[in-house]
Amino acid sequence: MSGAYRQVRFLVLGQAITETWRVCFFGGLIAGSLLAAILRGGPNFTLGYGNLAAVLPLALLVPTLFAGGILIGFGSRWAEAVLRDTV
Amino acid sequence: MRGASLGIGIGFGFFLAAARLTDYDVIHNMLLLREPDLFLFFGAAVGTALPLLWLLERSKRATVFGGALQVTREGVQRKHVAGALVFGTGWAIAGACPGTALAMPMTGNILGVFVIAGIFGGQWMREAVVARLVRLRALAAQI
């Protein structure tokens, strides 16, 4: 999954994609989750975020989620082979 | 191969959303061990994949990628532990992993886009750190 994000980043930045199948997987995941939401009566659009939104105002929630995402992305690349022979 | 990847992605995304893994509270309760059924869900996935991978590798049958399946085996290394610690911290904060974060906006959870943006940013940051370390090592080797 982490590799799919990387390939999509290459695509968005106009760089060479080395694994096209990962981009297809990325697109498929979006389509599949949308299909599940539609079958459940359509996406229920909200600015809420479960219990986290109950303790954090939106102005704090957004940077918190972004920071959480940064850690997820950073950690996933750290654990991958990108670091082989480097760190 | 692209069609197979697309189909598997559709199936994966469908089940992530159908199982409500896109819901922060579901993941949060799981991490607090209040919803142990999700561990059965993960266990079922591993229990299905493990024997299938073993059989595919053993049969040496060509996959959609063109060659026989070769499962890479690595021992636990520092990078795995460090990466898992950072990844897990982010998972606990955002209540999402790269897959569920992508499915979040599709189910209506608009704020999931900030997690997705963070994941792209975090990956870029890690690669920038590695690139800098490589440059520093090359410089040190010249001195």
Side-chain angles (χ1 to χ4, degrees):
Chain A
M1 193 66 241
S2 168
Y5 273 82
R6 189 162 180 254
Q7 294 297 320
V8 169
R9 177 159 51 89
F10 291 162
L11 179 72
V12 171
L13 297 177
Q15 296 170 346
I17 303 168
T18 51
E19 294 168 304
T20 314
W21 68 271
R22 288 189 188 271
V23 178
C24 297
F25 179 73
F26 192 94
L29 199 153
I30 291 172
S33 52
L34 182 62
L35 179 67
I38 289 169
L39 290 176
R40 240 183 7 222
N44 180 23
F45 290 108
T46 174
L47 281 174
Y49 207 83
N51 288 331
L52 195 60
V55 291
L56 289 178
L58 190 62
L60 276 179
L61 189 56
V62 168
T64 300
L65 294 177
F66 185 71
I70 291 274
L71 292 172
I72 293 168
F74 196 97
S76 66
R77 292 305 291 158
W78 197 340
E80 276 185 284
V82 70
L83 300 174
R84 192 169 292 155
D85 301 330
T86 51
V87 184
Chain B
M1 184 173 76
R2 290 176 188 173
S5 301
L6 182 71
I8 292 167
I10 289 172
F12 187 47
F14 183 87
F15 285 110
L16 284 181
R20 294 190 182 274
L21 295 179
T22 53
D23 187 334
Y24 170 83
D25 290 342
V26 170
I27 300 297
H28 197 230
N29 285 334
M30 178 201 73
L31 293 173
L32 292 173
L33 305 179
R34 291 176 186 157
E35 286 201 33
D37 51 315
L38 278 182
F39 290 104
L40 292 174
F41 181 87
F42 296 144
V46 174
T48 307
L50 262 180
L52 285 177
L53 285 172
W54 182 79
L55 280 171
L56 269 174
E57 189 180 38
R58 207 174 146 83
S59 69
K60 302 192 188 308
R61 188 176 294 175
T63 68
V64 290
F65 295 96
L69 179 73
Q70 287 182 317
V71 180
T72 306
R73 291 172 174 81
E74 281 189 341
V76 177
Q77 299 168 29
R78 189 177 65 171
K79 66 177 185 179
H80 298 130
V81 178
L85 282 171
V86 175
F87 181 100
T89 304
W91 193 22
I93 291 171
C97 67
T100 55
L102 202 53
M104 273 180 173
M106 299 302 113
T107 58
N109 198 343
I110 297 165
L111 296 180
V113 296
F114 294 103
V115 183
I116 296 170
I119 292 171
F120 278 116
Q123 289 197 341
W124 174 81
M125 279 172 64
R126 179 58 194 158
E127 287 166 19
V129 167
V130 170
R132 176 161 288 195
L133 283 170
V134 169
R135 277 200 303 273
L136 285 174
R137 281 187 181 182
L139 274 175
Q142 287 174 359
I143 296 170

